[in-house]
Amino acid sequence: MTLDFEHVTLGQRVLFGSGKAAEHLAAEVLRLDAGRVMVIASEFESAIADRISAQISPVLRWNEVVMHVPVETAQKARNAATANNIDLLVSVGGGSTTGLAKAVALATGIPIIAIPTTYAGSEATNVWGMTDAARKTTGVDERVLPVTVIYDAALTLSLPVDLSVASGLNAMAHCIDSLWAPSADPINAALAAEGIRALSQGLPAIKIDPNGLAGRERALYGAYLSAVAFASAGSGMHHKICHVLGGTFNLPHAQTHATVLPYVLAFNAPAAPEASSRIAAAFGTVDPNEGLQKLRGVLGAPRALEDYGFTVHSIREAVEVVLPQIPATNPRRVDRESLTAVLAAATTGEDPKILIDL
């Protein structure tokens, strides 16, 4: 087969080491010659953020973090950063926290150091997202790519097992969607396959030993790979669905991704044999659906959108908003009927196999 593709690799410094977040942050602030630092962390993560940033003397600590980054919340943080002459943003937390830092950077150009405490992966992408009037808008801009990511598995110990599972499966969705997203290429595929392997090893280890670092390190490594693949490949069918479910219906981000993933995989896999083979091999199975479902069973993964407040009565509206956003490059044709079937099955938690021969 002749190789013919274009791949973009994003420039970013990554520092990885359990128990080294404070040390790495202090060194990076010095390297970047930053004098006025704004630390962004939710109330839940504030104690962790205080501990990590104790060596750098921030001039502003910001804890108004809201899921899906409402534009009003973003504007308040932007105003605060401008009023305090901030020259470096430090985000400590999950995707919502990183997303808020990106919203500030998008408007101001202030660089970001991201310190994730989940497996969201937003820290490794140049993708931003904000919600306005129940609609989530996303975009790509180099200003929002953190200049440095500091990974410290010890910080994820604050994440309960159920949220670790949901967050890790969100990262898994980045991997799988990257294999058929609009800019999918062989490099993205290699990163995604290794990400699937790492996550499928790390997440069960977290389930078995929540206080152990080995599984959490493996999951963080997988989450990073998944995000790098996703940043290059772009958003596929899975992410278009989940962005609408989150932005329009305010469903929780990680749990929504974890729930929808097996349904999109079951729908697309028959039309994407090469991607399916890669996914299956990464799971160590013959069939990709079998591999994912086996992992989900071990983890006790989220199973139905109705468990998070989405109902069958909202499917019609969701279909109308999602359908125009499905990439033309999706391996299987998506129409109103098939998209309705995918969402209906995900809503009630039906066996994803019903979508294979749809």
Side-chain angles (χ1 to χ4, degrees), residues 151-168:
Y151 286 110
D152 183 341
L155 303 183
T156 70
L157 291 172
S158 64
L159 195 65
V161 170
D162 60 336
L163 290 180
S164 295
V165 166
S167 183

Side-chain angles (χ1 to χ4, degrees), residues 173-226:
H174 290 141
C175 293
I176 291 175
D177 224 23
S178 294
L179 292 168
W180 45 55
S183 298
D185 65 42
I187 297 175
N188 299 330
L191 292 169
E194 174 63 9
I196 292 170
R197 275 189 285 270
L199 289 160
S200 64
Q201 295 165 0
L203 294 176
I206 294 172
K207 181 83 172 181
I208 294 169
D209 182 12
N211 294 317
L213 288 179
R216 292 180 179 272
E217 286 182 343
R218 195 70 179 156
L220 266 184
Y221 164 66
Y224 170 70
L225 293 175
S226 76

Side-chain angles (χ1 to χ4, degrees), residues 64 69-79 100 130-133:
E64 190 176 337
V69 195
V71 292
E72 299 84 2
T73 303
Q75 192 57 51
K76 287 181 183 179
R78 289 167 173 171
N79 292 342
L100 178 58
M130 283 181 281
T131 303
D132 186 18

Side-chain angles (χ1 to χ4, degrees), residues 97-328:
T97 305
T98 308
L100 178 58
K102 286 183 171 185
V104 175
L106 181 66
T108 64
I110 302 172
I112 304 169
I113 293 177
I115 308 177
T117 60
T118 72
Y119 310 108
S122 175
E123 68 279 354
T125 79
N126 58 351
V127 178
W128 58 267
M130 283 181 281
T131 303
D132 186 18
R135 291 291 185 270
K136 186 168 185 177
T137 301
T138 62
V140 174
D141 195 297
E142 297 306 312
R143 288 174 295 179
V144 308
L145 178 72
V147 295
T148 304
V149 183
I150 297 173
Y151 286 110
D152 183 341
L155 303 183
T156 70
L157 291 172
S158 64
L159 195 65
V161 170
D162 60 336
L163 290 180
S164 295
V165 166
S167 183
L169 289 173
N170 177 21
M172 184 77 72
H174 290 141
C175 293
I176 291 175
D177 224 23
S178 294
L179 292 168
W180 45 55
S183 298
D185 65 42
I187 297 175
N188 299 330
L191 292 169
E194 174 63 9
I196 292 170
R197 275 189 285 270
L199 289 160
S200 64
Q201 295 165 0
L203 294 176
I206 294 172
K207 181 83 172 181
I208 294 169
D209 182 12
N211 294 317
L213 288 179
R216 292 180 179 272
E217 286 182 343
R218 195 70 179 156
L220 266 184
Y221 164 66
Y224 170 70
L225 293 175
S226 76
V228 173
F230 172 70
S232 176
S235 293
M237 177 181 177
H238 171 89
H239 280 80
K240 296 302 184 182
I241 291 172
C242 291
H243 286 164
V244 169
L245 293 177
T248 303
F249 301 97
N250 201 36
L251 269 62
H253 184 84
Q255 292 89 337
T256 300
H257 281 269
T259 302
V260 170
L261 178 58
Y263 298 96
V264 174
L265 176 60
F267 178 78
N268 271 345
E274 185 175 342
S276 295
S277 295
R278 279 186 178 272
I279 296 167
F283 281 127
T285 59
V286 175
D287 178 73
N289 299 290
E290 175 192 343
L292 179 59
Q293 288 300 81
K294 182 178 179 181
L295 176 65
R296 287 171 53 81
V298 169
L299 298 176
R303 56 168 296 278
L305 293 175
E306 64 184 7
D307 294 336
Y308 302 100
F310 189 78
T311 70
V312 294
H313 304 294
S314 297
I315 292 175
R316 182 189 295 269
E317 180 184 357
V319 168
E320 294 304 317
V321 180
V322 173
L323 191 58
Q325 301 184 39
I326 300 295

Side-chain angles (χ1 to χ4, degrees), residues 312-357:
V312 294
H313 304 294
S314 297
I315 292 175
R316 182 189 295 269
E317 180 184 357
V319 168
E320 294 304 317
V321 180
V322 173
L323 191 58
Q325 301 184 39
I326 300 295
T329 55
N330 193 68
R332 191 172 177 184
R333 181 175 177 273
V334 182
D335 56 21
R336 187 170 281 99
E337 181 181 1
S338 58
L339 184 55
T340 297
V342 169
L343 285 172
T347 298
T348 58
E350 291 184 66
D351 189 333
K353 287 182 180 178
I354 66 170
L355 300 170
I356 293 175
D357 298 319

